[in-house]
Amino acid sequence: MKIVLMGYMASGKSTVGRLLASDLEIPFIDLDDFIEEQEKKSIQTIFSEKGEIYFRKLEHQMLHKVLSENESIVLSTGGGTPCYGNNMQTILEQADHSVYLQMSIPDLVDRIAKGKANRPLVQAIADEDLPEFVGKHLFERIPFYAQAQHVLNGKGTPAEVVADIKKHLLL
C-alpha cells in the first residue's frame, strides 16, 4: 500500500507520516529528506547552488523513484511537491491513497511562527506578514492539494490525525 501525504508547510505531514507508517508497520520516507540523502546536500543548498528549476526536476525524479521502487510506503511530500510539473498526476497514478492534510491559515501561521528558524522559506518574513504570505501561497496550491483522494483536517494531535486517516482509508 502506498500512501502519499501532502499539504502546506507545518501541516504535520512528516510527524503524522512517521506515526502512520509505524502503526501500519510499513516504511516511511520524507521526500525532502530523501532528496537531501541522495544529493548529499540540504534543500536550501540545492536551491542556492542550482536554482529552483533544477530542484523541481530533481524532486520529480525522486518522487517517481520512491513511488516506483517501494511496494508499501507512507510518503510525506514537500509542501510544493504536488504543485509542480506533473507531480500530482504521478501521485494519483502511482499511489493507492493521496491525503491532503488541510489546515486553516491561522492554524498554519501559528505552527509556522513557532518553528520559523527551521524554515528557510519564511525565516526572513516578519510574524505580522506571515498570514498574508501563507494565504497567497495556499491560494496558489489548493487547486493541486484538492485533487487528493482524501481531504482531511490536519488540526489535532498526530495520533488523532492518524486515526482519522486510518478511518477514511478503511484501515
Side-chain angles (χ1 to χ4, degrees):
M1 176 184 329
K2 298 175 192 178
I3 302 169
V4 176
L5 302 180
M6 64 188 76
Y8 198 71
M9 90 174 79
S11 62
K13 300 176 301 285
S14 296
T15 302
V16 167
R18 278 186 191 86
L19 187 58
L20 178 62
S22 176
D23 272 14
L24 299 177
E25 298 179 350
I26 61 176
F28 169 75
I29 293 179
D30 178 293
L31 188 60
D32 284 347
D33 291 348
F34 184 80
I35 292 169
E36 289 181 345
E37 287 168 20
Q38 297 295 304
E39 292 292 294
K40 309 223 180 324
K41 294 179 181 180
S42 71
I43 300 290
Q44 192 172 4
T45 301
I46 297 167
F47 258 82
S48 65
E49 288 181 357
K50 306 251 182 159
E52 185 175 7
I53 292 170
Y54 174 86
F55 172 76
R56 294 300 176 188
K57 285 180 182 175
L58 176 64
E59 180 181 51
H60 176 73
Q61 292 166 356
M62 294 297 124
L63 173 67
H64 182 73
K65 178 181 175 73
V66 167
L67 289 174
S68 61
E69 292 181 0
N70 290 278
E71 186 109 354
S72 288
I73 188 172
V74 174
L75 175 65
S76 168
T77 63
T81 304
C83 311
Y84 292 92
N86 62 351
N87 288 345
M88 194 63 216
Q89 182 181 344
T90 298
I91 291 166
L92 293 173
E93 289 173 359
Q94 293 189 26
D96 299 302
H97 298 283
S98 53
V99 179
Y100 166 33
L101 298 180
Q102 186 178 49
M103 291 186 67
S104 69
I105 292 169
D107 288 335
L108 287 168
V109 167
D110 185 50
R111 284 188 181 181
I112 291 166
K114 289 176 185 168
K116 211 162 99 170
N118 301 320
R119 299 189 180 276
L121 189 63
V122 295
Q123 278 177 346
I125 297 173
D127 286 351
E128 61 269 15
D129 295 332
L130 271 177
E132 182 180 358
F133 177 85
V134 171
K136 284 180 180 176
H137 239 178
L138 205 50
F139 179 77
E140 294 166 356
R141 292 178 173 188
I142 282 176
F144 297 96
Y145 295 156
Q147 293 176 51
Q149 294 162 305
H150 308 279
V151 178
L152 304 177
N153 188 345
K155 189 175 179 179
T157 67
E160 290 168 341
V161 176
V162 166
D164 194 33
I165 291 171
K166 288 169 69 177
K167 182 177 81 181
H168 280 84
L169 304 188
L170 304 174
L171 303 173

